[in-house]
């Protein structure tokens, strides 16, 4: 599967990042987390590669 098209739910993004759903939503609205992909009226997902890149950026920032 092309990683650029893999979507993960908010719950899965929370598991991947060890953040709570509410913290992810706060970061989203502050522009500090990858944008969500709207799937329906009340359903969003995230591009898995973007979430992984966000995690990698956090890891890289600790060395700076």
């Amino acid at each position: 599967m092309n990683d650029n098209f893999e979507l993960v739910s908010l719950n899965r993004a929370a598991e991947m990042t060890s953040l709570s759903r509410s913290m992810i939503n706060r970061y989203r609205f502050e522009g500090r987390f990858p944008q969500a992909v709207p799937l329906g009226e009340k359903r969003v997902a995230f591009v898995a590669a973007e979430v992984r890149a966000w995690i990698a950026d956090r890891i890289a920032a600790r060395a700076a």
Side-chain angles (χ1 to χ4, degrees), residues 18-40:
S18 297
L19 295 172
S20 68
R21 291 167 41 110
S22 56
M23 185 59 74
I24 288 175
N25 282 325
R26 179 181 303 163
Y27 281 5
R28 282 177 53 210
F29 293 116
E30 292 174 352
R32 298 170 53 195
F33 197 78
Q35 290 186 0
V37 177
L39 300 177

